[in-house]
Amino acid sequence: MSNGDFVGVFDSGLGGISVLKRLVAELPHERFVFFGDSANAPYGDKPVEQIRSLSTNIMDRFIAEGAKAIVIACNTATSASASYLREKYPSIPIVGCEPALKPAALAPRHRRILVMATAATLRLQKFRDLREEWGRESEVICVPCVGLVQLIETGDLDSPELHALLQRLVGQYRGQVDSVVLGCTHYPFIKRQIADVLGEVPFFDGGTGAAHQLGHLLREGGLLAPDDAEGGVEFRSSKSTPQEIELYRHFYTLPV
């Protein structure tokens, strides 16, 4: 590996583009290759063994192509696979994403925190440990948002179906929570739609923390791209069609 190699970023679909945007903002001289496994999305309803197998296959391809670091831009894949992948690939820096419960719990208002995530993220031990460490002084309300990733993957973020699903999932908490943790990397793309249902409330997600951690690991390993490097982003998908790649590029232009 050298400081001229690329950083691989992957997600179960296009949601990890929300993390990619933070990575590029933090490290503009790096070259990023983003892979979205949209053909297998969502990961949140799959067993751990399958998530781990899918993640390993993606990692293998990135490493074979010379990736100098990997970002798992998916809370579910991080929960299911990060520890396993770090043991399997000890020589390569691996950054994961986790629900941003810590910054929400440290915020001035943190009495009631709503955590929106996939069912897999919420049931796995990694989140349980996070909740035990940072949720003690708050009421942490966990909502498994089944079906939400699939609707976001269509690209129609203002569909009546998406609004209706949000209303069913979290409508009862309107005006009742101090903050919302977006525990899936797809969800930052629908903050406005969630606010339409919940009202104005602070949002927290793990993208910024992942970007800071990647920068730290690259600097520590002498892998940071030089300041005169051009940097850039390449999009790939397991749904390898021009329409899917164009959808990825569209999401890359959206605010998070």
Tab-separated table of all heavy atoms in Angstrom, residues 10 48 51-52 55-56 59 72 74-98 124-127 129:
chain	number	residue	atom	x	y	z
A	10	PHE	N	-17.924	1.002	0.993
A	10	PHE	CA	-19.055	0.199	0.530
A	10	PHE	C	-20.232	0.254	1.486
A	10	PHE	O	-20.095	0.542	2.670
A	10	PHE	CB	-18.633	-1.250	0.273
A	10	PHE	CG	-18.428	-2.112	1.492
A	10	PHE	CD1	-19.483	-2.845	2.037
A	10	PHE	CD2	-17.176	-2.226	2.080
A	10	PHE	CE1	-19.282	-3.662	3.141
A	10	PHE	CE2	-16.971	-3.048	3.180
A	10	PHE	CZ	-18.037	-3.769	3.718
A	48	VAL	N	-26.770	-12.654	10.012
A	48	VAL	CA	-25.403	-12.172	10.174
A	48	VAL	C	-24.449	-12.872	9.223
A	48	VAL	O	-23.576	-12.234	8.619
A	48	VAL	CB	-24.946	-12.355	11.638
A	48	VAL	CG1	-23.439	-12.114	11.764
A	48	VAL	CG2	-25.693	-11.410	12.558
A	51	ILE	N	-24.670	-11.354	5.740
A	51	ILE	CA	-24.098	-10.002	5.708
A	51	ILE	C	-22.580	-10.087	5.724
A	51	ILE	O	-21.884	-9.384	4.973
A	51	ILE	CB	-24.601	-9.170	6.909
A	51	ILE	CG1	-26.120	-9.022	6.874
A	51	ILE	CG2	-23.932	-7.800	6.916
A	51	ILE	CD1	-26.708	-8.485	8.166
A	52	ARG	N	-22.050	-10.963	6.551
A	52	ARG	CA	-20.603	-11.135	6.667
A	52	ARG	C	-20.012	-11.652	5.352
A	52	ARG	O	-18.951	-11.191	4.906
A	52	ARG	CB	-20.292	-12.083	7.814
A	52	ARG	CG	-18.846	-12.155	8.207
A	52	ARG	CD	-18.693	-12.917	9.507
A	52	ARG	NE	-19.224	-12.170	10.637
A	52	ARG	CZ	-19.357	-12.659	11.861
A	52	ARG	NH1	-19.002	-13.913	12.112
A	52	ARG	NH2	-19.830	-11.913	12.835
A	55	SER	N	-20.084	-8.807	2.744
A	55	SER	CA	-19.056	-7.811	3.082
A	55	SER	C	-17.660	-8.323	2.753
A	55	SER	O	-16.817	-7.579	2.238
A	55	SER	CB	-19.145	-7.444	4.566
A	55	SER	OG	-20.407	-6.905	4.898
A	56	THR	N	-17.406	-9.594	3.040
A	56	THR	CA	-16.092	-10.181	2.765
A	56	THR	C	-15.801	-10.202	1.272
A	56	THR	O	-14.684	-9.894	0.836
A	56	THR	CB	-16.020	-11.611	3.338
A	56	THR	OG1	-16.239	-11.565	4.746
A	56	THR	CG2	-14.663	-12.230	3.066
A	59	MET	N	-14.825	-6.718	0.261
A	59	MET	CA	-13.485	-6.435	0.767
A	59	MET	C	-12.417	-7.113	-0.082
A	59	MET	O	-11.396	-6.503	-0.421
A	59	MET	CB	-13.359	-6.918	2.212
A	59	MET	CG	-14.064	-6.075	3.247
A	59	MET	SD	-13.110	-4.636	3.786
A	59	MET	CE	-11.672	-5.399	4.493
A	72	ILE	N	-16.534	0.902	5.875
A	72	ILE	CA	-17.815	0.196	5.835
A	72	ILE	C	-18.894	1.244	6.101
A	72	ILE	O	-19.193	1.570	7.250
A	72	ILE	CB	-17.876	-0.923	6.886
A	72	ILE	CG1	-16.655	-1.838	6.792
A	72	ILE	CG2	-19.161	-1.739	6.722
A	72	ILE	CD1	-16.556	-2.854	7.927
A	74	CYS	N	-21.937	1.491	6.301
A	74	CYS	CA	-23.210	0.817	6.546
A	74	CYS	C	-23.232	0.395	8.006
A	74	CYS	O	-22.336	-0.347	8.442
A	74	CYS	CB	-23.328	-0.403	5.628
A	74	CYS	SG	-24.788	-1.439	5.904
A	75	ASN	N	-24.215	0.864	8.759
A	75	ASN	CA	-24.299	0.507	10.171
A	75	ASN	C	-24.529	-0.984	10.361
A	75	ASN	O	-23.946	-1.616	11.248
A	75	ASN	CB	-25.433	1.297	10.836
A	75	ASN	CG	-25.123	2.765	10.971
A	75	ASN	OD1	-24.520	3.211	11.937
A	75	ASN	ND2	-25.539	3.543	9.990
A	76	THR	N	-25.371	-1.576	9.530
A	76	THR	CA	-25.670	-3.000	9.666
A	76	THR	C	-24.445	-3.847	9.373
A	76	THR	O	-24.110	-4.775	10.124
A	76	THR	CB	-26.826	-3.389	8.729
A	76	THR	OG1	-27.994	-2.633	9.074
A	76	THR	CG2	-27.147	-4.859	8.846
A	77	ALA	N	-23.756	-3.548	8.256
A	77	ALA	CA	-22.556	-4.309	7.913
A	77	ALA	C	-21.462	-4.124	8.952
A	77	ALA	O	-20.713	-5.061	9.260
A	77	ALA	CB	-22.047	-3.903	6.534
A	78	THR	N	-21.361	-2.922	9.519
A	78	THR	CA	-20.388	-2.682	10.586
A	78	THR	C	-20.698	-3.560	11.796
A	78	THR	O	-19.821	-4.234	12.343
A	78	THR	CB	-20.377	-1.205	10.999
A	78	THR	OG1	-19.983	-0.397	9.886
A	78	THR	CG2	-19.423	-0.964	12.152
A	79	SER	N	-21.964	-3.557	12.214
A	79	SER	CA	-22.358	-4.336	13.387
A	79	SER	C	-22.115	-5.821	13.182
A	79	SER	O	-21.665	-6.521	14.087
A	79	SER	CB	-23.842	-4.091	13.701
A	79	SER	OG	-24.076	-2.742	14.025
A	80	ALA	N	-22.402	-6.299	11.974
A	80	ALA	CA	-22.310	-7.731	11.711
A	80	ALA	C	-20.908	-8.192	11.358
A	80	ALA	O	-20.556	-9.352	11.608
A	80	ALA	CB	-23.267	-8.101	10.570
A	81	SER	N	-20.095	-7.293	10.770
A	81	SER	CA	-18.872	-7.754	10.113
A	81	SER	C	-17.577	-7.088	10.537
A	81	SER	O	-16.500	-7.631	10.268
A	81	SER	CB	-19.016	-7.568	8.589
A	81	SER	OG	-20.190	-8.149	8.101
A	82	ALA	N	-17.612	-5.911	11.133
A	82	ALA	CA	-16.389	-5.136	11.329
A	82	ALA	C	-15.332	-5.897	12.125
A	82	ALA	O	-14.164	-5.954	11.723
A	82	ALA	CB	-16.701	-3.799	11.995
A	83	SER	N	-15.710	-6.486	13.242
A	83	SER	CA	-14.729	-7.200	14.060
A	83	SER	C	-14.140	-8.378	13.294
A	83	SER	O	-12.921	-8.604	13.311
A	83	SER	CB	-15.376	-7.691	15.358
A	83	SER	OG	-15.790	-6.605	16.155
A	84	TYR	N	-14.993	-9.103	12.605
A	84	TYR	CA	-14.543	-10.248	11.806
A	84	TYR	C	-13.574	-9.799	10.717
A	84	TYR	O	-12.519	-10.420	10.500
A	84	TYR	CB	-15.756	-10.942	11.195
A	84	TYR	CG	-15.416	-11.968	10.146
A	84	TYR	CD1	-14.998	-13.245	10.504
A	84	TYR	CD2	-15.519	-11.666	8.788
A	84	TYR	CE1	-14.684	-14.198	9.546
A	84	TYR	CE2	-15.204	-12.604	7.821
A	84	TYR	CZ	-14.791	-13.868	8.202
A	84	TYR	OH	-14.481	-14.797	7.243
A	85	LEU	N	-13.914	-8.717	10.014
A	85	LEU	CA	-13.075	-8.253	8.912
A	85	LEU	C	-11.731	-7.723	9.415
A	85	LEU	O	-10.704	-7.902	8.753
A	85	LEU	CB	-13.814	-7.173	8.119
A	85	LEU	CG	-15.055	-7.653	7.347
A	85	LEU	CD1	-15.807	-6.467	6.745
A	85	LEU	CD2	-14.677	-8.650	6.266
A	86	ARG	N	-11.723	-7.088	10.577
A	86	ARG	CA	-10.449	-6.595	11.123
A	86	ARG	C	-9.526	-7.760	11.502
A	86	ARG	O	-8.312	-7.657	11.371
A	86	ARG	CB	-10.717	-5.687	12.324
A	86	ARG	CG	-11.320	-4.338	11.933
A	86	ARG	CD	-11.451	-3.397	13.114
A	86	ARG	NE	-11.979	-2.107	12.705
A	86	ARG	CZ	-13.185	-1.645	13.057
A	86	ARG	NH1	-13.965	-2.378	13.845
A	86	ARG	NH2	-13.606	-0.473	12.624
A	87	GLU	N	-10.105	-8.837	11.969
A	87	GLU	CA	-9.294	-10.020	12.268
A	87	GLU	C	-8.795	-10.678	10.990
A	87	GLU	O	-7.660	-11.155	10.922
A	87	GLU	CB	-10.118	-11.016	13.080
A	87	GLU	CG	-10.395	-10.577	14.512
A	87	GLU	CD	-11.176	-11.615	15.292
A	87	GLU	OE1	-11.350	-12.736	14.776
A	87	GLU	OE2	-11.618	-11.300	16.410
A	88	LYS	N	-9.617	-10.703	9.971
A	88	LYS	CA	-9.262	-11.359	8.707
A	88	LYS	C	-8.232	-10.555	7.929
A	88	LYS	O	-7.374	-11.116	7.247
A	88	LYS	CB	-10.527	-11.562	7.874
A	88	LYS	CG	-10.322	-12.311	6.558
A	88	LYS	CD	-11.645	-12.553	5.856
A	88	LYS	CE	-11.457	-13.172	4.479
A	88	LYS	NZ	-10.853	-14.521	4.526
A	89	TYR	N	-8.315	-9.224	8.036
A	89	TYR	CA	-7.419	-8.331	7.273
A	89	TYR	C	-6.702	-7.385	8.242
A	89	TYR	O	-6.955	-6.175	8.256
A	89	TYR	CB	-8.204	-7.511	6.254
A	89	TYR	CG	-9.098	-8.312	5.346
A	89	TYR	CD1	-10.463	-8.402	5.588
A	89	TYR	CD2	-8.583	-8.981	4.238
A	89	TYR	CE1	-11.298	-9.119	4.751
A	89	TYR	CE2	-9.408	-9.708	3.396
A	89	TYR	CZ	-10.757	-9.773	3.660
A	89	TYR	OH	-11.578	-10.498	2.829
A	90	PRO	N	-5.805	-7.898	9.077
A	90	PRO	CA	-5.205	-7.053	10.124
A	90	PRO	C	-4.287	-5.959	9.594
A	90	PRO	O	-3.990	-5.007	10.321
A	90	PRO	CB	-4.423	-8.068	10.973
A	90	PRO	CG	-4.123	-9.193	10.039
A	90	PRO	CD	-5.302	-9.286	9.119
A	91	SER	N	-3.843	-6.063	8.351
A	91	SER	CA	-2.861	-5.101	7.851
A	91	SER	C	-3.489	-3.889	7.176
A	91	SER	O	-2.767	-2.956	6.804
A	91	SER	CB	-1.915	-5.788	6.858
A	91	SER	OG	-2.629	-6.240	5.725
A	92	ILE	N	-4.817	-3.866	7.019
A	92	ILE	CA	-5.443	-2.756	6.315
A	92	ILE	C	-6.363	-1.987	7.264
A	92	ILE	O	-7.131	-2.586	8.020
A	92	ILE	CB	-6.223	-3.250	5.072
A	92	ILE	CG1	-6.714	-2.065	4.240
A	92	ILE	CG2	-7.395	-4.143	5.452
A	92	ILE	CD1	-7.152	-2.452	2.845
A	93	PRO	N	-6.291	-0.655	7.274
A	93	PRO	CA	-7.194	0.119	8.130
A	93	PRO	C	-8.644	-0.057	7.686
A	93	PRO	O	-8.960	0.069	6.497
A	93	PRO	CB	-6.733	1.566	7.920
A	93	PRO	CG	-5.347	1.464	7.371
A	93	PRO	CD	-5.322	0.201	6.570
A	94	ILE	N	-9.520	-0.349	8.635
A	94	ILE	CA	-10.942	-0.527	8.373
A	94	ILE	C	-11.721	0.388	9.298
A	94	ILE	O	-11.573	0.331	10.519
A	94	ILE	CB	-11.376	-1.991	8.576
A	94	ILE	CG1	-10.647	-2.922	7.594
A	94	ILE	CG2	-12.886	-2.131	8.423
A	94	ILE	CD1	-10.920	-4.396	7.845
A	95	VAL	N	-12.553	1.237	8.715
A	95	VAL	CA	-13.381	2.176	9.476
A	95	VAL	C	-14.837	1.748	9.322
A	95	VAL	O	-15.295	1.468	8.210
A	95	VAL	CB	-13.209	3.618	8.965
A	95	VAL	CG1	-14.161	4.567	9.680
A	95	VAL	CG2	-11.766	4.072	9.143
A	96	GLY	N	-15.561	1.686	10.430
A	96	GLY	CA	-16.972	1.348	10.381
A	96	GLY	C	-17.841	2.542	10.741
A	96	GLY	O	-17.349	3.628	11.064
A	97	CYS	N	-19.144	2.335	10.655
A	97	CYS	CA	-20.117	3.360	11.054
A	97	CYS	C	-21.021	2.772	12.135
A	97	CYS	O	-21.448	1.623	12.029
A	97	CYS	CB	-20.973	3.780	9.866
A	97	CYS	SG	-20.124	4.742	8.617
A	98	GLU	N	-21.306	3.551	13.137
A	98	GLU	CA	-22.219	3.114	14.178
A	98	GLU	C	-23.204	4.233	14.479
A	98	GLU	O	-22.906	5.411	14.229
A	98	GLU	CB	-21.470	2.718	15.447
A	98	GLU	CG	-20.741	3.841	16.129
A	98	GLU	CD	-20.003	3.379	17.392
A	98	GLU	OE1	-19.730	2.177	17.498
A	98	GLU	OE2	-19.721	4.226	18.248
A	124	LEU	N	-28.199	-6.501	17.181
A	124	LEU	CA	-26.849	-7.043	17.336
A	124	LEU	C	-26.156	-6.456	18.565
A	124	LEU	O	-26.491	-5.372	19.045
A	124	LEU	CB	-26.025	-6.797	16.075
A	124	LEU	CG	-26.477	-7.618	14.856
A	124	LEU	CD1	-25.748	-7.179	13.594
A	124	LEU	CD2	-26.254	-9.115	15.101
A	125	GLN	N	-25.140	-7.167	19.045
A	125	GLN	CA	-24.489	-6.825	20.305
A	125	GLN	C	-23.809	-5.472	20.262
A	125	GLN	O	-23.738	-4.769	21.279
A	125	GLN	CB	-23.466	-7.905	20.676
A	125	GLN	CG	-22.903	-7.765	22.078
A	125	GLN	CD	-23.970	-7.908	23.150
A	125	GLN	OE1	-24.816	-8.791	23.087
A	125	GLN	NE2	-23.943	-7.023	24.147
A	126	LYS	N	-23.312	-5.070	19.104
A	126	LYS	CA	-22.582	-3.803	19.011
A	126	LYS	C	-23.459	-2.636	19.452
A	126	LYS	O	-23.020	-1.761	20.193
A	126	LYS	CB	-22.074	-3.582	17.589
A	126	LYS	CG	-21.157	-2.381	17.432
A	126	LYS	CD	-20.542	-2.328	16.041
A	126	LYS	CE	-19.598	-1.156	15.883
A	126	LYS	NZ	-18.432	-1.252	16.788
A	127	PHE	N	-24.722	-2.616	19.017
A	127	PHE	CA	-25.603	-1.535	19.448
A	127	PHE	C	-25.992	-1.690	20.910
A	127	PHE	O	-26.115	-0.695	21.636
A	127	PHE	CB	-26.865	-1.467	18.584
A	127	PHE	CG	-27.801	-0.378	19.040
A	127	PHE	CD1	-27.507	0.951	18.769
A	127	PHE	CD2	-28.936	-0.673	19.779
A	127	PHE	CE1	-28.351	1.973	19.218
A	127	PHE	CE2	-29.776	0.328	20.223
A	127	PHE	CZ	-29.477	1.656	19.939
A	129	ASP	N	-24.154	-2.791	23.279
A	129	ASP	CA	-23.036	-2.257	24.056
A	129	ASP	C	-23.027	-0.729	24.005
A	129	ASP	O	-22.763	-0.069	25.029
A	129	ASP	CB	-21.710	-2.789	23.503
A	129	ASP	CG	-21.550	-4.289	23.726
A	129	ASP	OD1	-22.268	-4.851	24.570
A	129	ASP	OD2	-20.713	-4.902	23.022
